[in-house]
Amino acid sequence: MKITILDKAPEEDDEIIIKCSQMDENILNLINVINASSGAKLSTNSGHSRMKFFKDSAIVFVDLKDILYFESVDDRVFVYTDKDVCESKSKLYMLEEELASEDFIRANKALLVNLNKIESLSPAFGGRFEAVLKNGYKVIFSRSYVNGLKEKLEI
C-alpha cells in the first residue's frame, strides 16, 4: 500500500482518494474510521454521489438518486429506498444541511424527502401538502415546510 499526501489550494476542500482493485473489508474499515461520525458523501468515478449507511452489521453504500426519504424514529434515522431500509448514524438535521444542495427537502419534523421521488402533490387540510412518492408512500408536508417546498419546486 502506498500513501501520498499532496498540498491543496486554499479554496479546495480536504479530500481523501482511495485507489483499489476491489473494495474489501480492510478498505471498508478504513473508510469507516475516516468518516465514522460524519456520514460523509462518497463520490465515485461514475459521477454518482453515494452515502454510507448501516444494515445489520454491514456498511452499505447507497446512491443518492435511489433514496426515497430519511425518517427519524426514536432518535434513530432510517434511510428508505425501493429495495432496502438502512440506518444512518447522522441526525436528520445534519443530513438536511449536508443534502441542502441536492434535491432533498424537509417535509416535517421527522422526514427528509427526495424531490425526484415525488409522483404527485396535492393540497391537504390546514395548509399542508400531501405528496405521493413513486413507491406509493404518502408523505405530509407540514405547514412550516410547505413554503420551502413551493420555493424549491417554483410553484
Side-chain angles (χ1 to χ4, degrees):
M1 180 183 292
K2 176 175 116 177
I3 296 175
T4 305
I5 299 174
L6 304 171
D7 287 332
K8 65 174 185 66
E11 69 276 359
E12 292 179 321
D13 289 333
D14 289 338
E15 177 181 30
I16 296 174
I17 299 171
I18 299 174
K19 287 184 180 180
C20 58
S21 56
Q22 66 181 21
M23 287 277 248
D24 62 13
E25 189 174 336
N26 290 331
I27 300 292
L28 290 175
N29 287 336
L30 178 62
I31 292 169
N32 190 36
V33 168
I34 292 169
N35 65 8
S37 65
S38 70
K41 270 194 267 188
L42 175 73
S43 295
T44 63
N45 284 340
S46 63
H48 299 295
S49 290
R50 300 191 322 163
M51 292 182 78
K52 162 191 76 123
F53 302 112
F54 301 89
K55 183 169 180 170
D56 302 321
S57 60
I59 298 171
V60 180
F61 296 99
V62 178
D63 285 344
L64 285 179
K65 67 177 180 54
D66 294 332
I67 297 171
L68 294 165
Y69 61 96
F70 296 91
E71 182 177 31
S72 177
V73 179
D74 296 332
D75 286 332
R76 295 170 69 191
V77 176
F78 297 96
V79 183
Y80 293 83
T81 67
D82 279 331
K83 301 174 186 170
D84 239 342
V85 177
C86 305
E87 187 174 352
S88 173
K89 298 299 181 191
S90 297
K91 298 289 185 192
L92 202 58
Y93 76 90
M94 294 167 66
L95 290 165
E96 182 180 18
E97 289 172 6
E98 183 179 345
L99 297 170
S101 64
E102 303 291 335
D103 288 328
F104 286 85
I105 190 166
R106 183 69 78 112
N108 56 52
K109 190 167 110 173
L111 286 174
L112 188 62
V113 177
N114 184 345
L115 288 174
N116 296 318
K117 298 297 182 176
I118 295 176
E119 184 93 0
S120 66
L121 275 173
S122 57
F125 181 73
R128 301 177 301 163
F129 266 73
E130 180 182 80
V132 178
L133 302 183
K134 291 187 177 181
N135 68 344
Y137 185 74
K138 293 180 181 178
V139 171
I140 296 293
F141 278 82
S142 65
R143 283 180 304 199
S144 52
Y145 296 103
V146 166
N147 285 339
L149 174 68
K150 287 180 177 179
E151 285 176 21
K152 197 96 166 179
L153 296 176
E154 299 176 356
I155 55 174

